[in-house]
Amino acid sequence: MTTLSWAGGMDRSRARRLLQDYGVYAALLLLFVVAVALNGSFIEMSNLRAQLLQVTPVLVVALGMSLVIGTEGIDLSVGAVIALAAAVLPLYLGYGFGASLVVALVVGAVSGALGGAMVAFVRVQPIVATLSLMIGLRGLANIINGSSGKPVTDSTVADLGTGNLAGIPVMTWIAVVCTVLTALVVRRTTFGRQLVAIGDNRQAARLAGLPVRRVLMTVYIVSGVLAALAGVMLVGYSAESDPSTVGLNYELNAITAVVVGGTPLTGGRVRVLGTVAGALLMQLISAVLQQHNIHQSYQQIIEAALICFAVYAAQERGTR
Amino acid sequence: MSPTAVRPTALPPDDPAPPPAGGQAAATPLRERVAHQLQRRGAPVVLVLVAVIASISSSTFPTWSNISSILVGNNFVWLLALGMTFVIITGGIDLSVGSMYALGGVLGAYGAQHGGSLVALVLPIAVGAAWGTVQGLLVARARMAPFIVTLAGLLGARGLMQAISNEGATTYIVPKNSFFASLGSGTWVPLLILAVFFAAGTVLLARTRFGATLTAMGGNENAAVLMGLPVARAKVLVYLLSGTVAATAGALGAARLQSGVTTIGVGYELTAIASVVIGGTLLTGGSGTVGGTLSGVLLLGVLHNLIDSHFSQYGSAFTDLVNGAFLAVVVLLQTLLSRTQQLS
């Protein structure tokens, strides 16, 4: 930001605002340029495709997470829901892929509804409600699947994971559709306005007559369904379902993407495109670090520092 | 108000309270008192009940070998819940303790192998204190959400641990018969260490000005600032305390396991949070006791032990399922009870 001419009517607070609003996009562009400059083969289609495939499930989960965080909640159960959906999916493939997909998504919806009911009706803290689900559901997934990885050989599932449509992975198309829908919901629907209002001030929203409980339930259900969808994607991508490892740490990655993308944890604002940029940025960081053979351990340390920096930069000032 | 992941003030329930019917107005305070006591002391009551029932119904449960395995078989992980209690009382949260436990273990084992018992103790404590201080400064001075700061801490501390152990390829061994190894071996020494820690924690929280400041902060941070309490300093100290205790617990755990295990500690922060919540400490901050947390960890320990002995044929997955369900039920009950208190 220092390249801006201060004489041009650009004061500090305005610069701060710009950094808050567009910082994540700028960082994404900058890092992409750096990545290509460091390694020309980074821009090759095969590499970009691999990166997209990897980031897609995280992105899908992060979209649901951004809605939950918008209501000043948090959903720690998404990783376990991924595992549960991945465990359920192979059970019903005998009835065709469509049926098993529906079952997996319904399982996700029910999981989300459990968390949502605790948050909306009993007013349990979101972090504890979804924490208990996180522990319990992964256990359930392990019971269903017998704690060991099972290969999934179904052509439709494999196509979903590795197929292309117009040169772009099918999974990425699905993620794009999810992103557009989420953005439209947040910006153009009553429901979107309501969830932001609840995140801003639940009490005031309730007194204004908004259907607080219904909106909260819906948000957690959507998060559960999207997590289940990510679980199906991961089965397609890896052609196996291993409930003890699939979806591990996804809740943390999704929360990171949302927060780096500029959605405040205190609710009241959802930045859907920011979340996409946040997920892409984290993927790009780990890709660059990996390609330059920086050890996994140092990668984690650098990522941690970057998360802190990004959140600090995007923080709203004046809440003192 | 600082942006925290956990809202520091409890809101009234969604439903406006039904007006107490005529003649019952006098009974309401009693009901509230009962609810309050249950929420605060529910864990020890349930603990005693479960222990008594288990002792009557099982021949293996009340044996000394079984009791001692519950008490010290946790490799000092209970201490994470102790540190977490202090953080949660201020309305914050520390997700980094599981990674700090692993890091402390590797550092302790490294120190024991290359420097001796003193290094084995000082190194993890110093690193834990430094790490906790940085986290505390970010929360208190940079006003970042504790959830995010300690989430980054979780990643960073695990990365540092992996770096020290060469991506988990090197396992540092604690020399047998060293003073450091003796701290973790047997039953009595670990038990004594745990007792000292929990006793010190109780005194610190219930009997010192620092403890009172923490409780006041969690109750209403703005009010605490206006009263002139050293809120920012107390915040830094709380994360310092939590980091130090977690790293120390890891080092003692390494002394017990006789090596620095690199795969340890994943998800321990969640168990710690669960113990604290079960012990009656409110996640919104402002209320909680070390004794409650002790009941919480004991209750989880006893339940784990029972589930393991009765359902071991179903495997660890079933244990997770029961634990999750149990936690959900306890939290639901506590939330309902604390709501009863708010119906005034």
Side-chain angles (χ1 to χ4, degrees):
Chain A
M1 298 307 278
T2 47
T3 53
L4 293 164
S5 68
W6 298 109
M10 175 69 102
D11 54 16
R12 279 191 80 92
S13 66
R14 182 120 181 269
R16 265 222 81 82
R17 279 229 65 90
L18 276 177
L19 181 66
Q20 260 177 38
D21 288 345
Y22 301 107
V24 66
Y25 306 112
L28 186 60
L29 264 176
L30 187 72
L31 190 64
F32 188 76
V33 171
V34 168
V36 175
L38 285 173
N39 180 358
S41 64
F42 193 89
I43 203 155
E44 279 173 16
M45 207 57 215
S46 60
N47 174 55
L48 290 181
R49 200 174 167 280
Q51 302 298 341
L52 274 178
L53 268 179
Q54 267 189 24
V55 78
T56 297
V58 183
L59 174 57
V60 170
V61 174
L63 288 172
M65 186 70 77
S66 69
L67 296 183
V68 174
I69 289 180
T71 64
E72 212 192 353
I74 200 134
D75 189 353
L76 296 181
S77 69
V78 287
V81 173
I82 287 174
L84 194 56
V88 168
L89 186 76
L91 298 182
Y92 297 92
L93 281 174
Y95 301 98
F97 174 70
S100 55
L101 176 68
V102 168
V103 171
L105 295 184
V106 167
V107 164
V110 171
S111 310
L114 283 174
M118 281 200 257
V119 173
F121 290 92
V122 201
R123 299 188 56 93
V124 176
Q125 293 258 340
I127 188 172
V128 193
T130 54
L131 168 65
S132 58
L133 282 174
M134 172 183 174
I135 299 169
L137 293 180
R138 192 168 286 276
L140 189 61
N142 276 321
I143 291 172
I144 290 173
N145 213 0
S147 289
S148 61
K150 286 185 181 158
V152 177
T153 51
D154 180 275
S155 59
T156 328
V157 177
D159 283 350
L160 172 79
T162 54
N164 278 340
L165 199 70
I168 297 191
V170 173
M171 294 204 325
T172 308
W173 282 114
I174 297 172
V176 168
V177 170
C178 289
T179 305
V180 171
L181 283 177
T182 313
L184 285 176
V185 162
V186 170
R187 290 178 194 194
R188 294 261 183 271
T189 64
T190 317
F191 172 76
R193 307 306 308 158
Q194 286 171 342
L195 83 87
V196 170
I198 291 167
D200 202 29
N201 188 334
R202 181 167 172 175
Q203 189 69 347
R206 185 174 62 80
L207 294 173
L210 299 186
V212 172
R213 291 171 166 180
R214 202 179 69 209
V215 173
L216 284 175
M217 280 293 285
T218 313
V219 163
Y220 284 88
I221 289 172
V222 167
S223 176
V225 170
L226 287 173
L229 180 62
V232 174
M233 287 175 166
L234 281 168
V235 173
Y237 178 67
S238 61
E240 66 159 13
S241 120
D242 183 357
S244 48
T245 59
V246 73
L248 221 54
N249 285 339
Y250 261 65
E251 56 281 338
L252 302 185
N253 296 340
I255 293 167
T256 304
V258 172
V259 172
V260 169
T263 300
L265 272 174
T266 43
R269 186 163 188 219
V270 182
R271 299 187 58 190
V272 178
L273 291 183
T275 299
V276 176
L280 290 174
L281 183 64
M282 295 318 288
Q283 176 69 28
L284 196 54
I285 289 168
S286 65
V288 169
L289 293 175
Q290 241 165 26
Q291 285 184 334
H292 293 272
N293 290 331
I294 291 172
H295 278 304
Q296 180 91 37
S297 52
Y298 295 105
Q299 274 187 45
Q300 272 191 320
I301 297 171
I302 293 170
E303 275 177 30
L306 283 168
I307 291 170
C308 272
F309 175 75
V311 173
Y312 183 73
Q315 225 174 354
E316 310 261 347
R317 286 279 166 273
T319 48
R320 306 237 152 163
Chain B
M1 194 160 59
S2 69
T4 47
V6 183
R7 182 183 273 276
T9 49
L11 285 175
D14 273 347
D15 302 313
Q24 279 192 346
T28 316
L30 175 68
R31 218 182 73 189
E32 267 182 53
R33 274 210 300 275
V34 171
H36 181 69
Q37 290 302 331
L38 261 181
Q39 193 223 319
R40 287 283 300 273
R41 306 192 199 289
V45 171
V46 175
L47 174 64
V48 170
L49 276 177
V50 170
V52 166
I53 292 168
S55 305
I56 294 168
S57 65
S58 137
S59 57
T60 50
F61 180 81
T63 57
W64 170 240
S65 68
N66 190 47
I67 302 280
S68 67
S69 82
I70 293 175
L71 290 176
V72 295
N74 58 71
N75 299 325
F76 300 93
V77 175
W78 288 0
L79 295 180
L80 302 190
L82 177 66
M84 186 73 81
T85 309
F86 284 80
V87 179
I88 287 181
I89 278 177
T90 66
I93 198 144
D94 188 352
L95 298 178
S96 69
V97 291
S99 294
M100 282 314 298
Y101 179 88
L103 178 61
V106 170
L107 285 171
Y110 173 86
Q113 190 176 328
H114 294 285
S117 294
L118 186 67
V119 182
L121 279 173
V122 171
L123 190 63
I125 290 174
V127 173
W131 196 272
T133 307
V134 171
Q135 289 188 156
L137 286 171
L138 286 173
V139 171
R141 300 283 175 204
R143 301 179 173 280
M144 292 169 68
F147 191 93
I148 288 296
V149 171
T150 57
L151 179 60
L154 178 156
L155 289 173
R158 187 153 287 277
L160 186 58
M161 185 271 292
Q162 295 278 12
I164 293 167
S165 63
N166 303 321
E167 310 297 321
T170 314
T171 305
Y172 299 106
I173 306 294
V174 177
K176 282 197 174 99
N177 309 324
S178 63
F179 167 73
F180 182 63
S182 71
L183 286 177
S185 48
T187 304
W188 294 108
V189 178
L191 203 53
L192 186 69
I193 293 173
L194 282 171
V196 166
F197 263 96
F198 274 92
T202 308
V203 172
L204 188 62
L205 188 58
R207 294 265 174 268
T208 65
R209 185 174 297 204
F210 174 67
T213 305
L214 298 188
T215 312
M217 274 164 64
N220 186 336
E221 198 170 310
N222 283 344
V225 172
L226 293 173
M227 281 184 345
L229 296 173
V231 166
R233 194 181 67 193
K235 254 191 194 173
V236 178
L237 284 173
V238 141
Y239 288 93
L240 184 152
L241 182 80
S242 177
T244 311
V245 169
T248 310
L252 292 168
R256 187 169 176 81
L257 298 167
Q258 308 222 319
S259 69
V261 184
T262 53
T263 52
I264 214 166
V266 179
Y268 285 13
E269 62 279 346
L270 302 176
T271 319
I273 294 169
S275 312
V276 174
V277 171
I278 288 169
T281 299
L282 292 176
L283 261 182
T284 43
S287 156
T289 58
V290 170
T293 298
L294 182 59
S295 310
V297 291
L298 275 168
L299 183 55
L300 280 182
V302 168
L303 281 168
H304 248 298
N305 179 271
L306 287 174
I307 294 165
D308 276 352
S309 61
H310 283 276
F311 303 106
S312 50
Q313 68 264 37
Y314 302 114
S316 65
F318 190 80
T319 317
D320 284 349
L321 185 63
V322 174
N323 273 331
F326 172 76
L327 180 61
V329 168
V330 169
V331 169
L332 285 176
L333 279 175
Q334 279 194 335
T335 315
L336 288 170
L337 289 171
S338 59
R339 257 172 74 180
T340 312
Q341 290 167 51
Q342 291 170 354
L343 292 182
S344 48

